[in-house]
Amino acid sequence: RYLDEIMCAAGRIVSKLRKMARKKDKNNKDGHFDTMHIRRGDFAEQYEDTQISAKKLFKKSKRELTPGSILFIATDQSDKKWFKPFSDVYDVVYLSDFKDLIANLNVSYYPMLDQIISSKGRVFFGTYLSTFTGYITRLRGYYATKNQLDGYLEGSTKSYYFYPDHEKYHLLEYRNVQQPFWTNEYPAAWRNIDEGINK
């Protein structure tokens, strides 16, 4: 768990996102919004196959998202024009759009804010092989279990990978832990964590 200062700052932004979502859609009483983590930067050299154009990322995710909805994107891509395929269809926002809510927060905490906020999305799309995405999916598992969201008994969440295609639905099904451990998160990290080993 992160420091209270970080959790409270993220909470302020999540509350603002929910308010924005309700305002856009009166039927969205719970203020659901969707989230993504799109990692570019260092991955361009480390994992070239993950460097997919915004247009292709949009196509890979559009089936699960709702046109016109609020979409929060956590990213290290500095040129926000790159996300035009998304902003043409969704109401896209970034952490930088909420600077007024975190004015006194140490900037070193910003990546942690991105993770916490992303974990609160109705639907989440992440970058395969990214441990940053990995911790977001683990947080989503914790929240799903605590709040008994759809699929929590099986340890699944509405989380997806953009790439590769055969891993897109990996997080929707229960899988046993397997090596290499760092490439994915597994429901063993959050499913039934409050029960004894004999249950």
Side-chain angles (χ1 to χ4, degrees):
R1 183 181 181 278
Y2 290 135
L3 295 171
D4 286 347
E5 182 182 8
I6 300 171
M7 299 299 291
C8 290
R12 291 194 294 272
I13 296 174
V14 169
S15 293
K16 181 69 177 292
L17 285 166
R18 295 202 189 287
K19 184 176 180 180
M20 291 167 59
R22 292 188 192 99
K23 187 174 181 180
K24 283 188 69 69
D25 180 1
K26 302 300 182 185
N27 294 318
N28 185 3
K29 298 185 185 302
D30 292 324
H32 291 304
F33 59 93
D34 298 318
T35 58
M36 294 180 170
H37 170 230
I38 298 178
R39 186 166 175 174
R40 305 285 295 166
D42 61 324
F43 263 34
E45 295 182 8
Q46 295 183 57
Y47 305 108
E48 189 175 340
D49 289 344
T50 66
Q51 299 305 288
I52 302 170
S53 70
K55 196 171 185 178
K56 287 184 178 179
L57 292 178
F58 170 78
K59 288 181 178 179
K60 287 175 177 290
S61 58
K62 66 179 183 178
R63 182 180 299 177
E64 287 75 27
L65 303 179
T66 304
S69 63
I70 301 291
L71 177 62
F72 177 87
I73 299 180
T75 185
D76 57 357
Q77 172 66 46
S78 57
D79 182 7
K80 299 306 187 285
K81 293 178 182 177
W82 189 85
F83 295 99
K84 190 175 186 302
F86 290 101
S87 59
D88 283 347
V89 177
Y90 311 110
D91 190 347
V92 175
V93 291
Y94 312 92
L95 185 62
S96 58
D97 293 315
F98 302 95
K99 289 288 185 68
D100 60 312
L101 299 178
I102 53 175
N104 298 317
L105 192 71
N106 188 322
V107 296
S108 298
Y109 295 156
Y110 284 9
M112 300 171 218
L113 290 181
D114 265 337
Q115 286 184 314
I116 299 166
I117 297 163
S118 295
S119 73
K120 295 294 190 174
R122 178 188 65 89
V123 169
F124 170 71
F125 270 86
T127 301
Y128 189 67
L129 299 179
S130 167
T131 52
F132 193 90
T133 278
Y135 192 59
I136 292 170
T137 59
R138 187 186 299 186
L139 287 175
R140 289 175 63 75
Y142 292 152
Y143 294 141
T145 299
K146 179 181 179 180
N147 297 297
Q148 299 186 356
L149 303 181
D150 289 346
Y152 85 97
L153 289 174
E154 295 76 36
S156 69
T157 62
K158 291 182 179 178
S159 304
Y160 307 85
Y161 290 120
F162 287 111
Y163 171 92
D165 289 341
H166 70 273
E167 291 288 355
K168 178 177 180 178
Y169 303 105
H170 170 88
L171 296 165
L172 294 182
E173 57 188 34
Y174 186 88
R175 291 191 187 185
N176 291 322
V177 176
Q178 51 191 290
Q179 294 184 331
F181 301 132
W182 66 270
T183 59
N184 288 292
E185 288 292 325
Y186 296 92
W190 60 80
R191 182 173 177 264
N192 297 332
I193 59 173
D194 292 325
E195 295 187 9
I197 60 174
N198 294 320
K199 292 186 179 182

